[in-house]
Each structure stands twice: as structure tokens, then as C-alpha cells.
């Protein structure tokens, strides 16, 4: 009998072959029939399924859903192992995730990282036994009986509507509530590893119980697992949460709270440099600087709509008895009030405003990570009021600004793609302004500009803000997780809400369109990305310390201090090391701290008016005249060179 696999290849199997026989015929060893009868991994007679067709849909690890099935099955194996080792454990959920899986448990005795080895051993026993995953359809009453001692499963069952199909998967003595599908049997898992134990709230709700979450990864071959573990170790070494603390960029304190990092001198210096760069560049491009309050009455947010759409993400503050206040989650409505001071003409547009805006958002505890997800952030905020006819030209100017900033930072090539986030024409969520013609016109304008600039983009329906479409610039962190670095949004709603107008050439009152945009995103997330991208070795122009001047002996301390003073007078961030330490120790310390240049002065250099230069990457580059060295560093700094 001929069987045609999903990817188009063919092979022969004997009549009456089981799903396991078909799986064995495929090198990846993963099979599921998706035609009539939906075998879903249960051992069955293929001939009964293919009697009306010779096409059998076999999912392999080459298919997008293949690894999801593979890893979800491995999560069940882990749950079975945990339940055998901890019989009183209560099962929560265990989905597949990118590159792996997790499962949440409520256990009487805390599972520690050192316990993962014995869980892995028990998993290996289950895999070796090659137990089949057996799917069973059950009634709601039967399911409640099966999971009578599993409160989290009973909670899930309580939300199932009457008549909805319920399926469970049996794995030896272990049974789990699951839609599936799964592997044919446990023996098809070839390589896995448990990675971490953390805490997680049931269903991500801080008001609910804290559970134990075990993370793992699974791959089709041991060589693939080994490669992944190696890459993970390399990523961990570059993780900004690690190197940012080691290099003195930021720290956290439990007495201050989650998502509220403290920028230390290095981190504060870099963000100050970037802020000055952004503000100065925007001033050159016609932006007016504003500075607005960090909080406001609810009246302001009600006009903008944020009170109704984003209240769950806002921090209310107790200020006055008769008025509700909240910390601002964004600076938009504040800058609108600046625009409204004084009537504007069409000749005043585009009216560009910029602000380095501190904002606060009520992020969940489980979402906090270093500098990338925080509760207080600082955004390179900007709002531009335009006429509709100015839209395309202003968008092109904004992209030019963003790309210039990214080029200077050395990260332009790290933007993977641009995401055009559009409205949902069916408006199922009910959050969108119901003006289809304006939505389509605005989305078309964004797409046209990106087409003309030849920017790679994808479209995402239902991802727009409630007041207009947006463009997100996507990057990946060291672990391969996608993040939004910079966002640009159109707004055709807020001008009407705030009664913002301009007088056109005919003397008529018109509503401006608004562009919300950042230049380099939030300084916290951008700093995290830069730390990871450069592994802490920041380009010279925004490195916190650009030059370390090292004196070899006490006799040359004066010359070292004089060179340091000369560099400082030229705007170069230099530090002198006149300590009575061995030169090797001083050099290694500067190297570990990722300082771009070391200028070493010994007796010979002091006598000849030179300096021995050591480049962070190239090592010893030889002697230079003092003036030549200073000029070289100043030139590299002024030109914002990124090596």
C-alpha cells in the first residue's frame, strides 16, 4: 500500500500496517493521522482509515507542529515521572513552548534544582519502556471521577461547556486531561534535558496559588540537544541580566521591588549619553522639547480612552479626596495639552514634540526580567501633528531618524523585520474605532512608505492600538526571543477627543492626524539589547569609560594624570589608574571591564612623550605620540564609529 506523507514523499507499507509501523518508516519517528477517524497517536489499523484514500497525513519533525507534539508529549512523560516520585503532587498544566516545555505542580516538599537528575532518570525509564500514548474520549462525569484528587484539573473541567468533547491520554498508570495529539509512544523521544525549577502562579494570576514549574527541552537527536545546550550557555554568558550586573550597569533590591532596577554609574552614564544624543538630533530635525508631569487626574485619561482600555495596567495614587489620580503609562495626552496652548495654523504643521518620558506600567510579577520588562521605564517619546497630506513625507522622515539612530548605535542590521499591526475589520474585541475607510487609508499609507523604502515587513491583523495602526520594529534577544524595540503609531482618534485643531489655508478648522513614535525605544530595553548584542563591549562613543590611563610606576603618575586631564578636557570619559599594582593586573581589570582603550605610560613613554596603546579587541597596537592618541580617540568619538 502506498502512503503519501504531508511533505509529498512516498513510501510503501504492508496492508494492515499500524501507525507505529508507519512511524518507524520515517527517520524522525513521529506520526499522527489527521484524516477521518483522527488516530491521534493511538495504535490502530491504517487500512481502516485509508480505505477511501491513499493519502495519509503524517506529521514529522520537519513540520511546524511536529516539535510542538514531540515536546508536549515529553511534558507528559515528565509529569508521569514527577507523580511517581511525588505521589501526592497535584497536576496543573504542561504545554510545549519554544524550544521546550514546562509543567506546573503543587508539591508538599519543594522540588529543587538538584532533584531534576532523579526526575530525568525516571523519565528515561518511561521512555525505555516505550509506553503508548492512548487517547480516550470520556464524559464530563467520567473525567471528574478520574481527576477527583486533582483540584486544578477539576477547575479546568468546571469551565467545559456541556456536550464539549473531553479527551484524556493514558500513559501506563498516568492519566492526564489533554486535547492532544501526542506521539505514538514514549520510545520515540530521543533526547531531552530538564533545565530549571521556578515558581509560577496558577494561571498567571498573582491572587492564585504559587506552583512549582519545571522547564525542559527536547530534541530529535542528541547532537541537536548538545548544540542547543551549548548555544544556551553562550547566550547566558551574554544575558544582560548577568553581564549588566557584573559590569556595574544596574542592580535590583528586594526592598525597592520587582521591575524597579537601579541604574549604577555605568548604566546611568550610557543612558545619559544616549538621551543627549537623541534629544540633540531631534532638535536638529525641528522637534520642540517638553517636560510634563508623571501623574494626572483620571479626567485626562478618560478623555484619551486609556482609563477605559488600560486601567488594569495603570498605578492609581492617592492624592486628593475628591479626585482619582494615576501615574502615567504614556506621555501622549500630556503633550496634546501642550499643542492646545495657542491656535495652530497649517503653516505650523508638522508640529513635532519630543520628551524623555518616565512612565509606569503595572506589569505582572512573572513578566519581570532585568531591564527588558520593568514597571518604570524611560521612553524616547515623540508626537507629531500633521495634515493628512503630510503623512507619507513625515513617515519617511521618521524612518530616516530611526535608521540614523540605529546606525549610530550599531544595531541597524539587528532589526529582523517590521510588523504592520492592523485593526480587526470584524472588531470582535470591540476596542477599535469603527471608521473602516480611515483605517484602510492609514494602513495603506504605512505599507506604501515601507514598500518605497524596501523595508521587510509582515502584517498582523488585530494587533493595532485602539486609536490607529502601528509599525513595530522587531529584534531578538540572546535567547532567540522576539522583542519590540521601537514602535511608530498613527492616531486619527485622539485629536477629536481632545478637540485639537489647526486652521487650514481656507481659514477652516481641521483635525490634525497624530503620529506617535519612539526613536530608540525605552532606554532600559535598548540598554539591555546593546549589552547583549555587544557582550558588554560598548562602542567607544557611548562606552561609560572610554580610556583607562595606566601608570607603570609612581614616577609616571604625574604624566598619567596629565593625559587623563587632557582627555577629559576634550570630552573623553577617561580614568587614571595610579595604583601600586602590577601592570598585568591593571590591564586585566580594564579588559574585564570592557574599556575600549588602555593608554599605558612607563618611564620610556614619559621620556619620549608617547603612550603605549592597547586596544580592547586587538591588544597591544604599539606606541603613539600623546597628541596623536588624543586626536584618534576624539575623532572616533565624534564620528560615532562602531567597530
Amino acid at each position: 500500500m502506498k502512503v503519501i506523507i504531508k511533505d509529498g514523499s512516498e513510501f510503501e507499507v504492508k496492508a494492515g500496517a499500524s501507525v507505529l509501523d508507519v512511524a518507524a518508516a520515517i527517520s524522525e519517528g513521529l506520526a499522527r493521522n489527521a484524516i477521518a477517524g483522527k488516530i491521534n497517536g493511538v495504535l490502530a489499523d491504517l487500512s481502516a482509515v485509508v480505505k477511501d484514500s491513499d493519502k495519509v497525513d503524517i506529521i514529522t519533525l520537519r513540520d511546524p507542529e511536529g516539535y510542538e507534539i514531540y515536546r508536549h508529549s515529553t511534558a507528559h512523560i515528565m509529569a508521569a515521572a514527577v507523580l511517581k516520585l511525588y505521589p501526592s503532587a497535584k497536576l496543573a498544566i504542561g504545554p510545549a513552548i519554544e524550544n521546550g516545555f514546562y509543567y506546573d505542580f503543587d508539591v508538599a516538599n519543594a522540588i529543587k534544582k538538584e532533584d531534576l537528575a532523579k526526575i530525568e532518570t525516571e523519565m528515561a525509564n518511561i521512555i525505555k519502556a516505550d509506553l503508548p500514548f492512548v487517547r480516550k474520549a470520556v464524559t464530563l462525569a467520567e473525567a471528574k471521577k478520574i481527576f477527583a484528587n486533582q483540584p486544578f484539573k477539576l477547575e479546568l473541567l468546571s469551565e467545559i461547556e456541556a456536550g464539549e468533547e473531553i479527551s484524556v491520554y493514558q500513559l501506563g498508570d498516568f492519566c492526564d486531561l489533554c486535547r492532544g495529539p501526542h506521539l505514538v509512544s514514549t520510545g520515540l523521544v530521543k533526547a531531552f534535558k530538564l533545565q530549571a525549577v521556578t515558581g509560577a502562579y496558577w494561571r498567571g494570576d498573582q491572587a492564585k496559588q504559587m506552583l512549582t514549574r519545571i522547564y525542559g527541552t527536547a530534541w530529535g537527536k542528541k547532537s541537536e540537544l548538545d548544540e542547543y545546550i551549548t548555544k544556551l550557555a553562550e547566550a547566558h554568558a551574554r544575558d544582560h541580566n548577568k553581564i549588566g550586573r557584573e559590569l556595574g550597569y544596574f542592580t535590583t533590591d528586594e526592598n525597592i521591588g520587582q521591575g524597579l532596577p537601579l541604574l549604577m554609574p555605568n548604566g546611568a552614564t550610557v543612558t545619559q549619553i544616549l538621551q543627549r544624543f537623541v534629544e540633540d538630533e531631534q532638535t536638529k530635525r525641528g522637534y520642540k522639547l517638553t517636560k510634563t508631569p508623571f501623574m494626572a487626574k483620571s479626567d485626562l485619561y478618560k478623555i484619551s480612552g486609556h482609563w477605559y482600555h488600560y486601567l488594569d495596567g495603570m498605578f492609581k495614587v492617592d492624592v486628593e479626596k475628591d479626585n482619582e489620580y494615576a501615574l502615567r503609562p504614556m506621555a501622549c495626552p500630556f503633550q496634546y495639552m501642550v499643542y492646545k496652548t495657542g491656535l495652530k495654523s497649517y503653516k505650523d504643521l508638522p508640529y513635532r514634540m519630543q520628551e524623555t518620558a518616565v512612565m509606569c506600567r503595572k506589569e505582572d510579577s512573572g513578566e519581570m526580567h532585568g531591564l527588558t520588562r520593568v514597571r518604570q521605564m524611560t521612553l524616547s517619546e515623540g508626537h507629531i501633528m500633521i495634515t493628512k497630506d503630510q503623512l507619507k513625507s513625515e513617515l519617511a522622515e521618521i524612518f530616516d531618524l530611526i535608521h540614523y539612530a540605529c546606525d549610530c548605535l550599531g544595531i541597524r542590521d539587528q532589526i529582523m523585520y517590521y510588523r504592520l499591526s492592523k485593526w480587526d475589520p470584524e472588531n470582535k474585541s470591540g476596542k477599535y474605532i469603527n471608521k473602516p475607510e480611515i483605517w484602510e487609508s492609514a494602513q495603506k499609507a504605512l505599507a506604501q512608505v515601507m514598500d518605497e523604502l524596501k523595508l521587510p515587513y509582515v502584517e498582523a491583523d488585530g494587533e493595532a492600538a485602539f486609536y490607529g495602526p502601528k509599525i513595530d520594529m522587531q529584534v531578538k534577544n540572546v535567547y532567540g526571543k522576539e522583542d519590540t524595540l521601537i514602535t511608530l503609531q498613527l492616531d486619527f482618534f485622539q485629536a477629536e477627543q481632545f478637540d485639537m485643531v489647526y486652521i487650514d489655508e481656507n481659514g477652516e478648522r481641521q483635525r490634525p492626524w497624530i503620529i506617535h513614535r519612539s526613536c530608540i525605544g525605552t532606554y532600559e530595553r535598548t540598554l539591555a539589547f546593546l549589552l547583549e548584542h555587544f557582550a558588554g563591549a560598548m562602542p567607544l562613543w557611548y562606552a561609560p569609560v572610554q580610556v583607562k590611563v595606566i601608570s607603570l610606576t609612581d614616577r609616571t603618575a604625574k604624566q598619567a594624570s596629565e593625559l587623563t586631564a587632557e582627555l577629559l578636557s576634550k570630552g573623553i570619559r577617561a580614568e587614571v589608574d595610579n595604583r601600586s599594582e602590577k601592570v598585568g593586573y591593571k590591564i586585566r581589570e580594564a579588559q574585564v571591564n570592557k574599556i575600549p582603550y588602555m593608554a599605558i605610560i612607563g618611564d620610556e613613554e614619559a621620556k619620549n612623550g608617547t603612550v603605549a596603546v592597547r586596544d580592547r579587541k586587538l591588544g597591544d597596537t604599539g606606541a603613539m605620540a600623546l597628541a596623536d592618541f588624543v586626536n584618534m580617540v576624539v575623532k572616533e568619538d565624534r564620528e560615532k564609529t562602531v567597530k
Side-chain angles (χ1 to χ4, degrees):
M1 178 178 66
K2 180 190 293 183
V3 173
I4 303 174
I5 308 177
K6 186 177 182 181
D7 65 10
S9 57
E10 303 178 1
F11 62 92
E12 294 286 336
V13 297
K14 63 184 179 181
S18 71
V19 175
L20 189 57
D21 292 330
V22 176
I26 303 172
S27 61
E28 287 86 349
L30 179 64
R32 176 172 71 93
N33 188 289
I35 300 186
K38 290 188 177 179
I39 293 176
N40 284 338
V42 178
L43 298 182
D45 188 347
L46 265 182
S47 60
V49 179
V50 298
K51 59 185 177 182
D52 297 322
S53 171
D54 64 349
K55 290 189 177 181
V56 177
D57 187 7
I58 302 294
I59 294 178
T60 76
L61 292 186
R62 291 191 293 265
D63 299 309
E65 62 267 56
Y67 259 122
E68 182 178 352
I69 297 169
Y70 188 85
R71 287 165 177 152
H72 185 44
S73 299
T74 312
H76 273 234
I77 294 171
M78 181 178 73
V82 168
L83 206 56
K84 186 165 185 179
L85 293 169
Y86 306 87
S88 63
K90 305 304 179 188
L91 305 171
I93 57 172
I97 56 176
E98 186 176 8
N99 295 325
F101 58 89
Y102 71 78
Y103 209 113
D104 291 343
F105 306 93
D106 178 23
V107 287
N109 298 318
I111 297 176
K112 301 181 180 63
K113 188 172 183 179
E114 50 266 31
D115 297 324
L116 296 183
K118 67 180 180 181
I119 298 174
E120 286 180 337
T121 299
E122 188 57 40
M123 289 175 67
N125 292 335
I126 295 171
I127 292 170
K128 186 177 180 180
D130 198 19
L131 301 175
F133 283 91
V134 181
R135 182 182 187 275
K136 295 179 181 178
V138 297
T139 65
L140 183 57
E142 289 171 333
K144 288 182 177 179
K145 185 176 180 181
I146 293 170
F147 299 106
N149 295 319
Q150 294 291 341
F152 303 109
K153 301 296 182 184
L154 290 175
E155 181 177 328
L156 296 174
L157 287 169
S158 70
E159 299 169 3
I160 294 178
E161 296 181 7
E164 186 178 342
E165 183 182 69
I166 300 173
S167 61
V168 299
Y169 276 82
Q170 194 76 34
L171 188 61
D173 296 331
F174 174 77
C175 186
D176 205 353
L177 178 68
C178 189
R179 290 190 181 93
H182 284 286
L183 298 177
V184 175
S185 67
T186 61
L188 298 176
V189 175
K190 302 301 180 185
F192 75 92
K193 183 169 184 58
L194 301 186
Q195 298 169 286
V197 181
T198 66
Y201 290 107
W202 168 232
R203 308 187 93 165
D205 187 341
Q206 295 182 52
K208 295 185 182 294
Q209 187 173 349
M210 175 67 78
L211 304 175
T212 296
R213 175 171 293 179
I214 302 178
Y215 284 97
T217 186
W219 297 83
K221 299 176 182 177
K222 186 178 183 303
S223 59
E224 293 173 341
L225 173 64
D226 292 342
E227 181 182 358
Y228 173 73
I229 296 299
T230 299
K231 287 182 177 179
L232 202 61
E234 293 171 352
H236 179 67
R238 297 173 73 102
D239 188 333
H240 82 276
N241 216 4
K242 177 177 182 290
I243 60 176
R245 295 170 190 273
E246 292 174 347
L247 295 176
Y249 279 82
F250 76 100
T251 187
T252 52
D253 190 287
E254 62 180 14
N255 294 312
I256 293 174
Q258 276 190 303
L260 299 169
L262 298 162
L263 290 187
M264 297 172 69
N266 282 348
T269 298
V270 173
T271 53
Q272 182 187 60
I273 293 163
L274 298 184
Q275 179 181 329
R276 288 173 174 172
F277 161 68
V278 167
E279 290 179 350
D280 289 348
E281 183 59 33
Q282 289 178 146
T283 298
K284 293 176 187 176
R285 295 174 184 244
Y287 284 80
K288 303 176 189 301
L289 186 65
T290 67
K291 188 171 184 179
T292 56
F294 294 173
M295 71 174 76
K297 294 195 299 184
S298 62
D299 303 45
L300 185 73
Y301 304 122
K302 288 174 181 176
I303 296 172
S304 69
H306 293 111
W307 196 259
Y308 309 108
H309 291 280
Y310 296 109
L311 185 58
D312 288 345
M314 296 168 65
F315 290 103
K316 291 184 180 181
V317 290
D318 186 8
V319 178
E320 296 174 349
K321 182 178 180 181
D322 299 325
N323 287 302
E324 290 184 295
Y325 280 73
L327 301 179
R328 65 179 181 188
M330 59 281 295
C332 321
F334 296 85
Q335 287 198 323
Y336 300 158
M337 307 314 286
V338 173
Y339 175 85
K340 282 169 62 66
T341 58
L343 190 61
K344 304 296 187 294
S345 158
Y346 71 95
K347 293 182 180 180
D348 296 314
L349 274 55
Y351 190 87
R352 306 181 182 103
M353 290 180 287
Q354 63 156 315
E355 180 165 342
T356 303
V358 176
M359 306 178 301
C360 295
R361 296 179 185 174
K362 193 186 292 184
E363 301 281 4
D364 290 336
S365 296
E367 297 295 323
M368 299 298 102
H369 179 70
L371 298 174
T372 57
R373 292 299 294 268
V374 292
R375 288 180 171 144
Q376 178 180 301
M377 63 212 73
T378 312
L379 181 65
S380 60
E381 184 81 286
H383 293 93
I384 305 104
M385 284 62 178
I386 59 171
T387 69
K388 186 178 178 181
D389 293 339
Q390 293 170 333
L391 178 59
K392 288 181 65 177
S393 61
E394 192 63 22
L395 286 174
E397 167 59 28
I398 290 169
F399 275 118
D400 184 71
L401 169 62
I402 291 171
H403 291 155
Y404 172 73
C406 289
D407 282 336
C408 289
L409 293 178
I411 58 172
R412 172 79 178 275
D413 60 351
Q414 294 303 301
I415 298 176
M416 299 185 302
Y417 66 89
Y418 300 73
R419 182 176 64 203
L420 174 55
S421 296
K422 302 162 66 177
W423 80 313
D424 173 11
E426 297 181 7
N427 204 9
K428 296 176 182 177
S429 64
K431 75 175 184 178
Y432 295 120
I433 312 304
N434 191 27
K435 295 183 178 181
E437 291 184 5
I438 298 181
W439 276 102
E440 295 302 325
S441 174
Q443 290 168 177
K444 184 178 180 180
L446 289 176
Q448 285 179 342
V449 171
M450 288 192 289
D451 286 336
E452 290 172 6
L453 295 175
K454 296 181 171 54
L455 302 177
Y457 68 93
V458 299
E459 298 183 6
D461 291 335
E463 294 295 326
F466 70 92
Y467 47 72
K470 62 178 180 173
I471 296 172
D472 297 313
M473 279 145 257
Q474 302 299 104
V475 297
K476 280 188 177 180
N477 66 17
V478 288
Y479 295 104
K481 180 182 177 296
E482 198 171 299
D483 277 325
T484 298
L485 192 67
I486 304 169
T487 295
L488 179 161
Q489 298 174 319
L490 287 187
D491 183 346
F492 41 78
F493 171 68
Q494 299 284 326
E496 183 174 344
Q497 293 298 104
F498 282 90
D499 192 27
M500 299 164 63
V501 299
Y502 69 91
I503 305 302
D504 68 14
E505 55 267 40
N506 299 317
E508 301 291 332
R509 294 166 68 90
Q510 302 290 345
R511 301 286 187 205
W513 277 29
I514 305 168
I515 301 176
H516 307 238
R517 47 107 290 213
S518 175
C519 177
I520 59 172
T522 67
Y523 288 95
E524 291 81 6
R525 179 173 289 186
T526 299
L527 177 58
F529 184 75
L530 293 172
L531 281 168
E532 293 184 351
H533 178 59
F534 292 106
M538 299 298 204
L540 177 124
W541 79 266
Y542 59 87
V545 178
Q546 296 170 303
V547 178
K548 178 72 78 172
V549 181
I550 298 174
S551 171
L552 289 186
T553 70
D554 292 341
R555 294 185 300 277
T556 55
K558 179 183 177 184
Q559 288 87 342
S561 296
E562 289 173 348
L563 174 57
T564 303
E566 171 71 8
L567 289 165
L568 289 170
S569 72
K570 300 287 186 181
I572 299 302
R573 295 177 297 281
E575 292 181 352
V576 66
D577 189 344
N578 282 333
R579 295 175 299 170
S580 298
E581 298 281 357
K582 292 182 179 179
V583 65
Y585 176 83
K586 294 181 179 183
I587 290 173
R588 280 194 301 275
E589 187 177 68
Q591 193 75 31
V592 167
N593 288 324
K594 315 283 186 179
I595 296 173
Y597 287 112
M598 284 160 266
I600 304 169
I601 299 179
D603 290 334
E604 190 70 20
E605 287 80 17
K607 176 183 175 182
N608 297 328
T610 61
V611 60
V613 179
R614 188 173 183 85
D615 183 287
R616 174 177 59 194
K617 183 176 181 181
L618 302 177
D620 186 5
T621 59
M624 291 182 71
L626 287 172
D628 290 343
F629 173 72
V630 171
N631 290 336
M632 178 191 74
V633 176
V634 169
K635 182 174 184 291
E636 188 176 330
D637 177 65
R638 301 296 182 266
E639 293 179 352
K640 295 179 171 55
T641 304
V642 177
K643 291 184 179 180

